[in-house]
Amino acid sequence: RFVVSDSSKDFVPLQQDLDYIKNYIELQKLRLTNKESVIFEVEGNSADLRISPLILINFIENAFKYGVIDEASEPVIISIKVEQQTLFLNVENTISKEVTPETEKSEIGLKNTKKRLDYFYTNHYKLTIHNDLSKFIVELKIFLND
């Protein structure tokens, strides 16, 4: 329902977006035999804050799509922290060696997410992506001012 009805809005309550992310991660965990292979943490107070929907989830989906999954020694780490009006997202995953040509990343989702960030948060965000042969790390900082 969130994707269909609320994703077309410019902004939604941050807590609503965080609930969607939590539900997505819980759904992904159902596929896993090793529940410790995903570390998900949320800190801070999201009350009264709003965010453009479906920006954060794209980075998280990519971790599950392209990352090593179900390995406790190489967990997917997702951390969201809210301090006053600033949101920090950190997603880290080991890159799977099993990416086939059909699932090779087109980076369309990443490009579209960057465009949305530029549109809704011009000069109010910082996105850093570290991508080497083994790790993919996303660090996003957004100033959420309504």
Side-chain angles (χ1 to χ4, degrees), residues 66 68 74 93-99 105 130-137:
Y66 301 113
V68 171
E74 301 179 87
N93 63 277
T94 301
I95 298 171
S96 176
K97 293 170 180 54
E98 299 176 15
V99 175
K105 57 185 172 184
H130 307 279
N131 184 6
D132 62 30
L133 297 177
S134 63
K135 287 277 188 190
F136 194 86
I137 301 170

Side-chain angles (χ1 to χ4, degrees), residues 86-139:
T86 304
L87 180 137
F88 301 88
L89 169 70
N90 191 7
V91 180
E92 181 177 335
N93 63 277
T94 301
I95 298 171
S96 176
K97 293 170 180 54
E98 299 176 15
V99 175
T100 62
E102 302 88 50
T103 61
E104 237 177 278
K105 57 185 172 184
S106 64
E107 296 189 2
I108 290 173
L110 193 56
K111 289 176 187 174
N112 287 339
T113 301
K114 287 179 182 177
K115 285 180 184 178
R116 285 179 54 100
L117 283 165
D118 286 337
Y119 182 77
F120 289 108
Y121 298 102
T122 307
N123 300 320
H124 287 93
Y125 80 94
K126 181 178 180 186
L127 175 63
T128 307
I129 298 176
H130 307 279
N131 184 6
D132 62 30
L133 297 177
S134 63
K135 287 277 188 190
F136 194 86
I137 301 170
V138 173
E139 296 170 336

Side-chain angles (χ1 to χ4, degrees), residues 7-43:
S7 66
S8 61
K9 297 177 182 174
D10 286 348
F11 294 94
V12 296
L14 176 57
Q15 188 58 53
Q16 187 177 4
D17 207 58
L18 294 176
D19 289 344
Y20 176 74
I21 290 167
K22 179 183 175 210
N23 290 336
Y24 174 83
I25 291 170
E26 290 302 317
L27 184 63
Q28 291 298 320
K29 282 183 170 182
L30 291 175
R31 304 182 310 138
L32 307 176
T33 55
N34 189 345
K35 306 300 184 213
E36 292 78 36
S37 63
V38 177
I39 298 169
F40 176 54
E41 302 170 336
V42 177
E43 292 180 45

